Amino acid sequence: MTDSDNLELSRRRLLGTVGAAGAAGLVVGAAGGAGISAALPGEDTAGAGAGGAPALTTVGATSVMFHGKHQAGITTPLQSRGHLVAFDLAPGAGRKEAAALLRRWSVTAKALMSGKAPAEDTGVALDAGPSSLTVTFGFGRTFFDRTGLTSRRPAGLDPLPAFSSDALDPRRSEGDLWVQIGADDALVAFHALRAVQKDAGDAARVRWQMNGFNRSAGATAKPMTARNLMGQVDGTGNPKPTDPDFDRRIFVPAGGGGAPEWMAGGSYAVVRRIRMLLDDWEKLPLDRQEQVIGRRKSDGAPLTGGTETTELDLNKLGPDGKLVIPDNAHSRISAPEQNGGAAMLRRPFSFHDGIGPDGTPDAGLLFVCWQADPLRGFVPVQRKLDRGDALSTFIRHEASGLFAVPGGPAEGEYVGQRLLEA
Amino acid sequence: MTDSDNLELSRRRLLGTVGAAGAAGLVVGAAGGAGISAALPGEDTAGAGAGGAPALTTVGATSVMFHGKHQAGITTPLQSRGHLVAFDLAPGAGRKEAAALLRRWSVTAKALMSGKAPAEDTGVALDAGPSSLTVTFGFGRTFFDRTGLTSRRPAGLDPLPAFSSDALDPRRSEGDLWVQIGADDALVAFHALRAVQKDAGDAARVRWQMNGFNRSAGATAKPMTARNLMGQVDGTGNPKPTDPDFDRRIFVPAGGGGAPEWMAGGSYAVVRRIRMLLDDWEKLPLDRQEQVIGRRKSDGAPLTGGTETTELDLNKLGPDGKLVIPDNAHSRISAPEQNGGAAMLRRPFSFHDGIGPDGTPDAGLLFVCWQADPLRGFVPVQRKLDRGDALSTFIRHEASGLFAVPGGPAEGEYVGQRLLEA
Ligand code: HEM
Ligand code: HEM
């Protein structure tokens, strides 16, 4: 047996193993009903039919449910590719056109997320499975005036305050409509982006569009917290779907609290394009880098000891009598206990758009965070970070968006129907 | 047993299977000795040590050999992420600085490709395995004047002719030095890019930098030919490493043929940033799209019938008496038999840099092709395509580079040593 036979064998065993799981049609319930299933792709997906063709590996075969209490793409595990795209309604387009657009988008998102190709397809994602595709839709503040729905605009969409360190480009900020696309395959994600753009037709025009990525599934031995392009373990402090107050913090409750009923099960997304000044950052010695965050770079453990999941000891002093986790450490300043319990679910993509006009890398974090109320999530934390975060020297907020992301559609419903047809 | 237990179990079985293959230290010889091995990562890679920690899946665990007859990244299977970066030597830097740079780069490439982190690392790829990383180095025409090596410049670097459909941006074209990075993980690829940039130090400055991608490993049920962003199966006609004349066509022979000895085992890379006019392309009906190429979109089979690997029947007439594969079909015009046997190995990445200033997608193909002699590969084929290719209406060549990529370094050697120290 040659070495290459050997590898081929192990490949086949790998496919076989996962194939069996796929055939069993596993469905894993994610928090709040955005289910994930590892299944064979639909008949419209070439390359892996049910009739004896080999099954997809879990990368391709995993699909996320479109219908549910919440939209997909919020508690869904990070995907390796992402596109963010904002649209403005076309001049003359109003509520009727917007409703028709959301209906088209919902049909497309549902089909693509289950691995089916829409009619007159570009074919770009043929062969591939759904690859954990999610397509998530949100409304910006300006949407409500343009559609005559100003009276139904939620307080959650009140403009974010200006922060002193902001360097925002309005052309890459905000927008009437926002779509977040994530998938574990680049062609599947691109394919969905083009389908969403095509559906926009004459009703809406792209305002801005950004591309992001995360680590590939399988690049690490076991699922691990993400790293960002500064090399930090990023996501540790996130609330967990199993936390008792997770839903209350991240999702708008049904009925009451002053939130409009059409936002029940929804969430607010704050989107910030945060450039990292990597040339400066990479010159900082490791120990100083670690003090900027308050955690070890190697494994994300607090500088006060333990492992990644150990709580920060914010009062611990070092042998020099100074705080081990400095006063201006990012982890200290952003921690819920320092912000009256303010919490958000950070679910970012990294971005890298080559070299900027100034010769430094145009790279950083497409920071996306989710919360039931921006005033109890992003706003108070960013207020504090804006003033005292050691990280500030190494980052620049270049664009910003705030979007109301309605709850997931029930069977037969389209996203936003409860706003647009009430 | 719950569904989520089930998925966890299948995950573990998956890791176990591949772990076993990894532990066996499989090494698959690629054409010409650029070996690929699926092995446990080196000790410097956190998250998967040899001491009981779970093994990486093949995505992360696969490594490509740095040393060999040819450089890696030529016959290596397409990776899902790629970076192309060109450097110009800094003013005042000459042969000595260039030699030191290639030495630094070789040390870095070798370490990273085997999954080891260099000293004072950014940590961005910590946790991940080598993930099929390849780093490939080439010399541009201008390199030779700047280093006083004009007399050793190979004829293969004579400038490409101008083509009538060229719309080349000189700031994104050519360069003294060229580096191609490919990996199956975005952070591994980005990490290598930053390491290569850091090594450049004062010796060289980035001239241009481009990002690309291909489908993820595991997105399809079985390994398949790539698709590009027009949705076509792309790569079918490529010469295979098992073809009897593969080496002769793709690699510069040792001794003779007028080629300089330092290029033995090397190859010439032609790099073209080819924008796809996707808004126009996607409006074209499927049957017309297929006539542009001469192959079916669904599976890449020739319009004259058969499967993807069936030969094109260039003389077959349809019921209407016309050629089934039209006169101006891309597959016809580019076929070796139409070009005196001219052949190249196409190994591209797709690119997508968002929306261009004109509002259309800034997306297309980072076309990279490899040949022993550009005058028997890219040049005659592009001459013909330039005049009569049906695809021309839908693409635009925006940047171009031609690089001499020397053979792979022997143990103890650095890339280009035979040029720089002879
Ligand atoms: C490029 C910009 C940023 C980088 C590189 C960054 C990085 C990090 C890192 C490494 C951690 C520690 C690990 C973890 O808990 O995830 C962290 C925690 C955190 N960050 Fe950021 N961050 C950035 C921007 C922001 C912004 C804009 C906000 C919100 C306004 C924010 C809010 C938080 C929160 C809430 C935590 C968790 C604190 C805890 O629960 O202990 N971060 N960040
Ligand atoms: C965006 C630009 C291009 C696209 C979308 C494209 C697409 C394709 C497709 C779909 C095929 C048929 C499948 C295959 O054999 O791979 C093909 C074949 C081929 N193309 Fe291109 N191509 C492009 C540019 C070029 C250029 C610039 C050259 C070289 C000058 C080239 C040379 C070839 C060759 C040699 C073949 C194989 C022909 C054969 O052996 O039958 N292509 N291309």
Side-chain angles (χ1 to χ4, degrees):
Chain A
M1 189 153 138
T2 67
D3 285 328
S4 94
D5 286 336
N6 233 337
L7 187 68
E8 192 38 49
L9 181 72
S10 77
R11 266 215 196 99
R12 260 186 262 128
R13 282 169 66 195
L14 190 132
L15 289 165
T17 305
V18 189
L26 298 179
V27 176
V28 184
I36 301 181
S37 73
L40 291 169
E43 291 169 39
D44 294 330
T45 306
L56 298 168
T57 69
T58 43
V59 171
T62 305
S63 68
V64 184
M65 248 137 61
F66 175 68
H67 294 292
K69 197 166 157 200
H70 313 301
Q71 286 193 62
I74 303 174
T75 56
T76 311
L78 289 179
Q79 299 111 327
S80 65
R81 302 284 303 195
H83 300 296
L84 307 183
V85 52
F87 293 85
D88 285 335
L89 288 172
R95 178 167 169 177
K96 198 171 124 252
E97 290 74 15
L101 174 55
L102 266 298
R103 192 186 287 276
R104 286 197 296 278
W105 273 348
S106 296
V107 169
T108 296
K110 181 178 177 168
L112 295 182
M113 283 171 59
S114 66
K116 297 198 182 77
E120 294 176 52
D121 184 47
T122 59
V124 170
L126 232 65
D127 317 325
S131 307
S132 300
L133 175 71
T134 57
V135 189
T136 318
F137 302 95
F139 301 108
R141 180 176 168 79
T142 48
F143 179 82
F144 294 81
D145 293 338
R146 304 227 164 111
T147 50
L149 291 165
T150 314
S151 65
R152 311 195 67 204
R153 184 169 62 208
L157 280 183
D158 286 354
L160 298 176
F163 301 101
S164 68
S165 57
D166 281 356
L168 305 181
D169 176 357
R171 288 160 311 172
R172 293 197 287 185
S173 296
E174 308 298 351
D176 292 347
L177 290 155
W178 177 69
V179 186
Q180 172 193 261
I181 293 168
D184 277 331
D185 176 68
L187 295 198
V188 168
F190 183 81
H191 179 243
L193 175 66
R194 292 299 291 165
V196 161
Q197 280 183 260
K198 189 180 171 198
D199 280 347
D202 295 332
R205 295 172 183 173
V206 172
R207 180 181 170 88
W208 53 260
Q209 198 266 299
M210 299 174 189
N211 300 327
F213 58 88
N214 284 298
R215 200 148 50 192
S216 295
T220 59
K222 47 186 165 84
M224 301 183 79
T225 310
R227 275 186 199 272
N228 60 39
L229 297 186
M230 287 177 156
Q232 301 144 353
V233 177
D234 193 344
T236 307
N238 259 339
K240 311 281 171 292
T242 46
D243 292 349
D245 53 359
F246 181 84
D247 271 24
R248 192 177 54 73
R249 287 172 144 176
I250 308 306
F251 295 113
V252 175
E261 205 45 53
W262 65 266
M263 270 296 284
S267 186
Y268 291 89
V270 175
V271 181
R272 311 279 285 191
R273 185 189 203 264
I274 310 182
R275 178 89 164 262
M276 292 174 172
L277 309 180
L278 289 179
D279 285 346
D280 299 337
W281 171 259
E282 291 171 7
K283 280 188 202 112
L284 203 65
L286 178 64
D287 58 333
R288 298 221 9 233
Q289 287 189 348
E290 293 184 330
Q291 280 164 7
V292 165
I293 298 295
R295 289 180 176 272
R296 279 208 301 255
K297 240 179 126 183
S298 58
D299 61 359
L303 292 182
T304 43
T307 65
E308 189 194 339
T309 51
T310 307
E311 299 259 315
L312 304 164
D313 181 349
L314 294 175
N315 301 317
K316 187 165 175 178
L317 303 177
D320 58 359
K322 290 191 189 148
L323 285 167
V324 175
I325 297 179
D327 251 336
N328 62 355
H330 181 78
S331 279
R332 171 189 294 276
I333 303 186
S334 58
E337 50 269 44
Q338 304 288 307
N339 295 283
M344 65 200 90
L345 179 67
R346 293 167 289 135
R347 191 178 184 282
F349 293 92
S350 290
F351 74 87
H352 173 216
D353 294 336
I355 311 271
D358 60 357
T360 70
D362 189 7
L365 204 61
L366 295 182
F367 179 91
V368 182
C369 75
W370 300 89
Q371 54 259 297
D373 178 359
L375 291 181
R376 303 260 312 137
F378 178 80
V379 172
V381 177
Q382 179 58 19
R383 268 219 180 92
K384 234 169 156 177
L385 290 173
D386 185 42
R387 275 187 246 116
D389 185 10
L391 200 53
S392 305
T393 325
F394 304 99
I395 63 177
R396 194 162 58 213
H397 288 241
E398 297 187 332
S400 177
L402 170 60
F403 303 99
V405 172
E411 285 286 344
E413 243 191 357
Y414 64 86
V415 177
Q417 182 164 344
R418 279 164 264 170
L419 166 66
L420 289 159
E421 297 193 5
Chain B
M1 188 152 139
T2 68
D3 286 329
S4 92
D5 286 338
N6 234 336
L7 187 69
E8 192 40 48
L9 181 70
S10 77
R11 266 215 197 100
R12 260 186 262 128
R13 283 168 66 195
L14 191 132
L15 289 166
T17 305
V18 189
L26 298 179
V27 177
V28 183
I36 301 180
S37 73
L40 291 169
E43 292 170 39
D44 294 330
T45 307
L56 300 168
T57 69
T58 43
V59 170
T62 305
S63 67
V64 184
M65 246 138 62
F66 175 69
H67 295 291
K69 197 168 157 198
H70 313 301
Q71 286 193 61
I74 303 174
T75 57
T76 311
L78 290 178
Q79 298 113 327
S80 66
R81 301 284 304 194
H83 300 297
L84 307 183
V85 52
F87 293 85
D88 285 335
L89 287 173
R95 178 168 168 175
K96 196 171 125 249
E97 291 75 15
L101 174 54
L102 267 297
R103 191 185 288 277
R104 286 196 297 279
W105 273 349
S106 296
V107 169
T108 296
K110 181 176 176 166
L112 295 182
M113 283 171 60
S114 66
K116 297 198 182 76
E120 293 176 53
D121 185 46
T122 59
V124 170
L126 231 66
D127 316 325
S131 307
S132 300
L133 175 70
T134 57
V135 188
T136 318
F137 302 95
F139 301 108
R141 181 177 166 79
T142 48
F143 179 81
F144 294 82
D145 293 338
R146 303 226 165 111
T147 49
L149 291 166
T150 314
S151 65
R152 311 193 69 202
R153 185 169 63 208
L157 281 183
D158 286 354
L160 299 176
F163 301 101
S164 69
S165 57
D166 281 356
L168 305 181
D169 176 356
R171 288 161 310 171
R172 292 198 287 185
S173 296
E174 309 297 351
D176 293 347
L177 290 155
W178 177 70
V179 186
Q180 172 194 263
I181 293 167
D184 277 332
D185 176 69
L187 296 198
V188 168
F190 183 81
H191 179 243
L193 175 65
R194 292 300 292 166
V196 161
Q197 280 183 259
K198 188 178 171 200
D199 280 345
D202 294 332
R205 295 171 184 174
V206 172
R207 178 181 173 87
W208 53 259
Q209 199 266 301
M210 299 175 190
N211 300 328
F213 58 87
N214 284 297
R215 200 148 50 194
S216 295
T220 60
K222 48 186 164 81
M224 301 184 79
T225 310
R227 275 186 200 273
N228 61 39
L229 298 187
M230 287 178 156
Q232 301 144 353
V233 176
D234 193 344
T236 307
N238 258 339
K240 311 282 171 294
T242 46
D243 292 350
D245 53 359
F246 181 84
D247 271 25
R248 193 176 52 74
R249 287 170 145 177
I250 308 306
F251 295 114
V252 176
E261 205 46 52
W262 66 265
M263 270 296 284
S267 186
Y268 292 90
V270 175
V271 181
R272 311 280 284 192
R273 184 188 204 266
I274 310 182
R275 179 90 164 261
M276 292 174 171
L277 309 180
L278 289 179
D279 285 347
D280 299 337
W281 171 258
E282 291 171 6
K283 281 189 201 110
L284 204 65
L286 178 64
D287 59 332
R288 297 219 12 232
Q289 287 189 347
E290 293 185 330
Q291 280 164 9
V292 164
I293 298 295
R295 290 180 174 272
R296 277 207 304 254
K297 241 178 123 181
S298 58
D299 60 358
L303 293 182
T304 44
T307 65
E308 188 193 341
T309 50
T310 308
E311 298 258 315
L312 305 164
D313 181 350
L314 295 175
N315 301 316
K316 188 167 177 177
L317 303 177
D320 58 358
K322 289 189 189 150
L323 286 166
V324 176
I325 296 179
D327 250 337
N328 62 355
H330 181 78
S331 278
R332 172 190 292 276
I333 302 186
S334 59
E337 50 269 44
Q338 304 288 307
N339 295 283
M344 65 199 87
L345 179 67
R346 292 166 291 134
R347 191 180 184 282
F349 293 91
S350 290
F351 73 88
H352 173 217
D353 294 335
I355 310 271
D358 61 357
T360 70
D362 190 7
L365 205 60
L366 295 182
F367 178 92
V368 181
C369 75
W370 300 89
Q371 54 258 297
D373 178 358
L375 291 180
R376 303 260 314 137
F378 178 79
V379 172
V381 177
Q382 179 57 18
R383 268 219 179 93
K384 235 170 155 177
L385 291 173
D386 184 42
R387 274 186 245 115
D389 184 9
L391 200 53
S392 305
T393 326
F394 303 99
I395 63 176
R396 195 162 58 213
H397 288 242
E398 297 188 332
S400 177
L402 170 61
F403 303 99
V405 171
E411 284 287 345
E413 244 190 357
Y414 64 86
V415 177
Q417 183 164 345
R418 279 164 265 169
L419 167 66
L420 289 159
E421 297 194 3

